[in-house]
Amino acid sequence: MMSRATVLACLVSTSVLALTVATASPAQAAGVDYVALGDSYSSGVGAPGQSGTCLRSNYSYAAQWAAKNSPTTFQFLACSGAVTDDVVKTQVPAMSSAADLISITIGGNDAGFASTVLTCLTGSDATCTAKVNAGKTYVATTLPGKLDSTYAAIKAKAPGAKVVVLSYPNIFDTSAVICEMSSTKRKALNSGAQVLDDMIKSRVAAAGFTFSDVRDNFSGHGVCAAKPYLNGLTIIPPQNSYHPNSSGYTNGYLPALTSAA
């Protein structure tokens, strides 16, 4: 049986160890150089406080992660409307080669996200479905090469970084009876998002990066759900339409980045 002094010594040692572990985490986070690349889903469109031509918001998942983890440096390069070519030609050249952590959402604008949603808003079910199918064809034939080139450029610029590629959510709750789009249109758009995410996942694996899927986090919280994580059709400001709201970035995207990083 251990003496009282031995027990006390063990307790003190355990407490010191626990304190050391607890205080190590902020120091580790402070040693990270973080870069946020990508499009409007990374810049924070849909959330309050958007500013500048790139419409960046402090409620974006990237800015929230930086605020919570206090990285040594944070480059917020994500920009609304960005396509893969913008990442390669503008964002990657601007980022630090010493980056330790990089996050990105990209590919949605290449596949015609905005024009497809507009077609589905204004056209018939058949027109919407045809537009979504055209996007699926692009995703299957052209987007893979675009993604590969983008990921290669990121790896070449910051070969030591952990790169987290986040997916897009399914936009709509298809179970809602009353919604701004028909059930057929909602299912078509969600199927387009699924095809896009699956292609992104496959190219991320080929690049050796980390894929973080947000679809489960957004499940049950699509447009027209009781507690949506995405904005529906929005008049002011119009760019918020079909983008995550602050809850979507906080409860959908931020946990996905945190768990992957």
Side-chain angles (χ1 to χ4, degrees):
M1 181 178 294
M2 291 188 294
S3 68
R4 182 179 302 175
T6 302
V7 172
L8 180 59
C10 289
L11 288 173
V12 170
S13 298
T14 302
S15 298
V16 171
L17 177 60
L19 181 60
T20 302
V21 172
T23 56
S25 295
Q28 290 166 358
V32 172
D33 294 304
Y34 171 43
V35 180
L37 305 175
D39 54 24
S40 55
Y41 273 63
S42 288
S43 70
V45 171
Q50 299 163 50
S51 63
T53 56
C54 286
L55 301 176
R56 297 179 184 127
S57 168
N58 287 334
Y59 289 91
S60 68
Y61 72 83
Q64 289 192 63
W65 190 92
K68 288 178 179 293
N69 292 277
S70 301
T72 300
T73 62
F74 172 41
Q75 284 185 285
F76 198 2
L77 302 177
C79 194
S80 176
V83 294
T84 51
D85 286 349
D86 296 317
V87 174
V88 172
K89 296 176 181 179
T90 304
Q91 296 182 22
V92 168
M95 79 178 192
S96 170
S97 59
D100 300 301
L101 174 64
I102 299 169
S103 66
I104 184 171
T105 56
I106 200 67
N109 291 323
D110 292 78
F113 169 74
S115 62
T116 300
V117 169
L118 181 60
T119 296
C120 289
L121 271 172
T122 60
S124 65
D125 286 356
T127 303
C128 173
T129 301
K131 182 68 172 176
V132 171
N133 287 338
K136 290 179 180 178
T137 299
Y138 179 91
V139 168
T141 59
T142 305
L143 187 61
K146 294 276 191 181
L147 293 174
D148 289 348
S149 296
T150 303
Y151 300 154
I154 294 171
K155 184 179 291 185
K157 183 63 183 283
K162 179 182 181 67
V163 182
V164 179
V165 182
L166 298 106
S167 75
Y168 296 96
N170 290 324
I171 297 175
F172 285 96
D173 178 354
T174 57
S175 66
V177 177
I178 299 175
C179 192
E180 57 208 44
M181 287 196 201
S182 69
S183 176
T184 297
K185 292 178 179 179
R186 283 178 275 159
K187 289 178 180 177
L189 285 165
N190 282 359
S191 72
Q194 295 276 14
V195 169
L196 173 61
D197 283 335
D198 290 344
M199 179 56 71
I200 291 172
K201 182 178 181 179
S202 72
R203 303 326 304 157
V204 169
F209 292 167
T210 299
F211 179 76
S212 189
D213 201 332
V214 304
R215 286 174 285 186
D216 284 347
N217 293 348
F218 278 82
S219 180
H221 298 284
V223 174
C224 298
K227 294 182 179 179
Y229 283 178
L230 297 108
N231 300 297
L233 179 63
T234 307
I235 305 302
I236 302 176
Q239 74 268 12
N240 282 6
S241 299
Y242 309 109
H243 282 78
N245 54 31
S246 56
S247 294
Y249 287 115
T250 301
N251 302 320
Y253 271 100
L254 181 58
L257 175 60
T258 300
S259 62

